[in-house]
Amino acid sequence: MKLENMFGYVPKLALLGAVMCAVVIAVLSLLPGSDLPASNMNDKLNHFIAYGVLMALATLGRGRVRLFGLMGGVILYGLVLEGLQGMMPYGRSASWIDALANTG
């Protein structure tokens, strides 16, 4: 396979990676706090990295979607997940600071 043809797969792989990343973020966001994996990093840094990776992958795989529309979608996704956390009955809470870290 020629190198030029291999780069044609990058957007498709990035889009697949973005979808997988979004699913992982949703699962980790909605799990009970006691079921979350331990992390030595700052919680806000975890949020910033997770949504940064999501945005980077989505940008690579966006096709004809405008960048500002994509950014709005990722920000809305983070806000919705934070809102859902606040509705969970098992001790998770919504946090505006987390939402800001997601948006970063």
Side-chain angles (χ1 to χ4, degrees):
M1 178 179 275
K2 292 184 179 180
L3 187 60
E4 304 88 43
N5 294 340
M6 287 178 30
F7 286 115
Y9 291 110
V10 170
K12 293 175 185 169
L13 290 173
L15 184 58
L16 176 63
V19 169
M20 291 171 54
C21 185
V23 169
V24 168
I25 289 171
V27 168
L28 291 174
S29 294
L30 300 176
L31 275 175
S34 60
D35 291 347
L36 289 174
S39 173
N40 294 330
M41 292 191 328
N42 181 302
D43 177 57
K44 305 313 174 239
L45 183 59
N46 289 338
H47 284 256
F48 184 79
I49 291 171
Y51 282 88
V53 169
L54 175 59
M55 187 64 199
L57 289 170
T59 299
L60 288 172
R62 70 185 163 111
R64 296 181 184 179
V65 176
R66 293 189 178 195
L67 186 58
F68 286 114
L70 183 62
M71 286 170 44
V74 171
I75 290 169
L76 182 62
Y77 184 68
L79 292 174
V80 166
L81 285 177
E82 280 300 317
L84 289 174
Q85 270 187 349
M87 294 180 206
M88 292 293 146
Y90 39 76
R92 296 294 298 262
S93 61
S95 165
W96 284 107
I97 297 172
D98 284 351
L100 286 174
N102 299 348
T103 302

